[in-house]
Amino acid sequence: MGRDGMDAFPEGVVQHILSQVSNARDVAACAGVSRCWRDCVPFLPSLYFPRGAFDAAGGGAGAAADDAIGRMVGAAARLEELVVYCPFSTALLPKWLAARSPTLRVLELRVDSADADKWDHLDCIGLAAGLEELRLWGLTMTRAPAWRRMERLRVLEIVGAVLQDTAVNGAVAACPNLTDLALLGCECSGEAVISLALLDRCRLDFVGSGNRSLRLAAPRVESLEVQGFSWISLRGGDRLKQLTISKNTGSLYHVEMGKLPELEQLSLRGVQWSWGAIRSVLQCSSEVKHLVMKVEFCGDFDTLQPFPEVDLVEFFNSHPKLRKFEIHGAMFAALCQKNSLKNLDSRFVMPCLEEVLVTVRSPLNAEQKLNTLESLVRYSVMLRRMVIRISQMKNCHEASDDFFEDICKFMYMNSGRVCIE
C-alpha cells in the first residue's frame, strides 16, 4: 500500500478508525490486511455477530461460530459491548464472560428457546458484574436466575421468551437499580411483582391466553406500557407522563392506581374491559392532554355488554386539559345517549380540545351520534380538525345510507375542520 493510503495516517489515528468497526465479518477482514491492523483488535470496544454470520460454513456453522467468537472475545482486551445473534454454544458463555467481565458493559444474546437446558448456562451472566445493559432474545426461564445482585444494570430487555412468574420476579429483583425494563412478546402466567425505585420507562407485553396480574411499585416511572394483564395495581404514578394499557385477548377486570397529576398521554385499548376498570383509570387521569379510548366491549365476566351511558358534559368537565381525543366505535356510542346532552348550556365549553378522531361503525342511534358530533364542534373553541372514520359499517341496515348522508352534510357545514375517512 502506498503512502497515499491509510499508511499515511499516524498509528493512533488508524487504531481509532478501526476501533469503530464492530461487525465480526469486517473485523476479520481488517485483521487479514496487515499485522498493524490485526494488532488493533485488542482495542475494539464492540463486537457484533449477526444472525447469518457463519452460514457459509454449512453444517459446521455452530463450531465455526464458537471458534470465532472465542478467539475475538479473547483478543478484545477492552471489550465493552458484545452482541451475539448467530447460533452459539451457551456452554462456552461462562468462559467468554469471565475473560471480559472487568470491561463488559453491554451484553445482547439471542438464545434458541427450543433447548430449555440452555437457561442453566445463562446463570453465568452474573459474572459480568459491571453490566449496564442486558438484552436476551428467545429463551426459556423456568426459575429465578442465579445472577446475584447486578447493582450497575440499568437496562433489562427480554424479548420472545417463555417465562414463569417466579423467573420474572427473580430476574427483576436481582437488578434493583433498573431505569429501563422491557419484557416484550413474552409468554407468562401468574403474578408479576415488580418493585423498582429508579425505574423511568417500563414496557410489559405479555402474549397468550389466560389471566395474569401485575403489581408494580415504581415511584419515578414516567412512561408505562402494559399489555396482557387482567388485574393491574400501580403504586407511585406521581411522575407518570405516558400510560398505555391494552388487553388484546380475554378481559381486563380491575385497575388500581392513585392520582396521576403529570399524565399527558393515556391510551386504553382492548377487546373487553370492565366498566369499573375504565372508570378507575379515567378518574385518576384528570390532567390528561391526549386520550385514546379503543375498547370493543364492556362487562365484568365472559358476557360481552355495551358501555353504560356517559354524560358528555361531565366527561369533558372532568378532563379540562384534553387537547387530542380519539374514541372508537362502542365507546363513542356511550357518549351518544339522549340524556348526555341535557346539561349543555352557554356555560359549558371544551377549552383546550384541538383534534378529534371518531370511529363510527354502526348507524344505530344515528340522531344521538350526530348530536354528539355537533356538540364536539360547537363547544370546542380551539378545535382545528375532526376526523370521522367510517369503519366496517354494513350496508344491510336500512338507516346506513341516511346516516352516511347526514354525516356528509355535517362535514360540508363544517368545511375546513371536519373530514371523513
Side-chain angles (χ1 to χ4, degrees):
M1 179 180 289
R3 295 296 296 176
D4 56 344
M6 286 191 67
D7 287 345
F9 293 105
E11 183 178 347
V13 175
V14 175
Q15 287 183 352
H16 176 73
I17 293 174
L18 296 179
S19 70
Q20 307 304 307
V21 179
S22 62
N23 191 298
R25 294 172 177 172
D26 298 333
V27 172
C30 291
V33 172
S34 69
R35 183 181 183 87
C36 176
W37 287 27
R38 185 164 58 252
D39 290 342
C40 294
V41 174
F43 300 97
L44 291 176
S46 177
L47 280 175
Y48 166 56
F49 297 86
R51 184 69 173 170
F54 301 96
D55 286 351
D66 291 341
D67 179 63
I69 296 172
R71 284 188 291 102
M72 289 187 180
V73 170
R78 301 183 183 181
L79 190 65
E80 297 180 4
E81 179 179 12
L82 176 61
V83 179
V84 183
Y85 281 174
C86 64
F88 68 98
S89 299
T90 55
L92 298 175
L93 186 61
K95 179 181 178 181
W96 301 338
L97 295 184
R100 299 281 76 90
S101 60
T103 60
L104 198 62
R105 298 293 177 264
V106 179
L107 178 63
E108 184 167 351
L109 303 174
R110 189 177 189 103
V111 183
D112 183 2
S113 60
D115 297 330
D117 60 342
K118 287 187 175 183
W119 172 238
D120 294 334
H121 298 302
L122 296 183
D123 282 342
C124 68
I125 289 175
L127 295 173
L131 277 182
E132 297 174 2
E133 300 181 20
L134 174 61
R135 296 177 178 88
L136 302 172
W137 297 66
L139 55 98
T140 297
M141 295 175 63
T142 58
R143 57 169 176 79
W147 291 345
R148 295 170 290 185
R149 285 176 67 87
M150 305 186 70
E151 301 284 353
R152 296 186 180 182
L153 198 68
R154 297 294 183 267
V155 178
L156 175 61
E157 184 172 315
I158 300 176
V159 181
V162 179
L163 310 171
Q164 294 288 339
D165 54 355
T166 54
V168 173
N169 300 338
V172 173
C175 314
N177 297 317
L178 289 178
T179 59
D180 293 73
L181 173 63
L183 306 176
L184 307 178
C186 296
E187 297 182 27
C188 183
S189 59
E191 182 179 45
V193 181
I194 299 173
S195 180
L196 294 169
L198 304 180
L199 191 65
D200 291 328
R201 290 163 293 277
C202 182
R203 292 179 295 161
L204 305 176
D205 176 20
F206 284 15
V207 299
S209 58
N211 296 325
R212 57 185 70 89
S213 61
L214 169 66
R215 284 196 289 144
L216 175 63
R220 294 181 53 173
V221 67
E222 295 185 0
S223 177
L224 175 61
E225 299 179 26
V226 177
Q227 201 288 125
F229 294 92
S230 297
W231 294 272
I232 300 172
S233 173
L234 171 64
R235 290 194 294 110
D238 292 346
R239 301 188 182 186
L240 194 61
K241 291 180 171 59
Q242 299 178 347
L243 174 61
T244 298
I245 304 178
S246 306
K247 189 70 167 70
N248 296 332
T249 59
S251 302
L252 196 155
Y253 300 110
H254 180 76
V255 178
E256 178 183 351
M257 58 182 64
K259 292 294 183 181
L260 308 175
E262 300 294 326
L263 191 66
E264 297 180 356
Q265 298 184 25
L266 172 63
S267 179
L268 309 180
R269 302 175 182 270
V271 176
Q272 181 182 5
W273 283 48
S274 75
W275 179 245
I278 295 175
R279 184 173 62 244
S280 175
V281 177
L282 292 177
Q283 288 176 346
C284 295
S285 56
S286 59
E287 305 297 312
V288 69
K289 298 176 182 177
H290 181 183
L291 176 60
V292 178
M293 302 176 68
K294 189 176 180 180
V295 180
E296 300 287 345
F297 299 100
C298 191
D300 292 327
F301 302 101
D302 294 336
T303 303
L304 302 178
Q305 299 176 350
F307 293 93
E309 176 182 337
V310 178
D311 188 283
L312 184 72
V313 175
E314 180 181 346
F315 178 84
F316 282 97
N317 281 341
S318 300
H319 302 87
K321 298 182 180 181
L322 198 58
R323 294 181 181 177
K324 188 173 182 180
F325 183 44
E326 302 179 36
I327 190 166
H328 178 87
M331 297 200 76
F332 170 67
L335 287 172
C336 303
Q337 304 300 322
K338 293 181 179 179
N339 293 334
S340 297
L341 307 178
K342 66 182 180 182
N343 295 327
L344 288 178
D345 55 38
S346 58
R347 295 172 297 175
F348 173 68
V349 68
M350 304 172 195
C352 301
L353 193 62
E354 298 178 0
E355 298 182 43
V356 176
L357 171 59
V358 176
T359 301
V360 181
R361 301 180 62 177
S362 168
L364 297 176
N365 301 317
E367 181 180 354
Q368 297 169 19
K369 293 178 180 179
L370 285 169
N371 287 339
T372 300
L373 293 173
E374 292 171 356
S375 299
L376 289 172
V377 172
R378 182 183 306 124
Y379 296 97
S380 301
V381 294
M382 302 293 291
L383 187 68
R384 296 186 291 105
R385 182 175 178 82
M386 173 186 284
V387 177
I388 304 173
R389 181 173 295 162
I390 309 298
S391 174
Q392 300 177 346
M393 185 181 295
K394 296 182 179 179
N395 221 15
C396 58
H397 198 285
E398 59 182 11
S400 296
D401 290 340
D402 293 338
F403 183 40
F404 185 74
E405 183 178 351
D406 289 337
I407 291 180
C408 290
K409 291 179 180 178
F410 172 71
M411 179 189 67
Y412 292 132
M413 291 176 61
N414 297 276
S415 179
R417 290 199 294 175
V418 177
C419 67
I420 297 175
E421 287 185 358

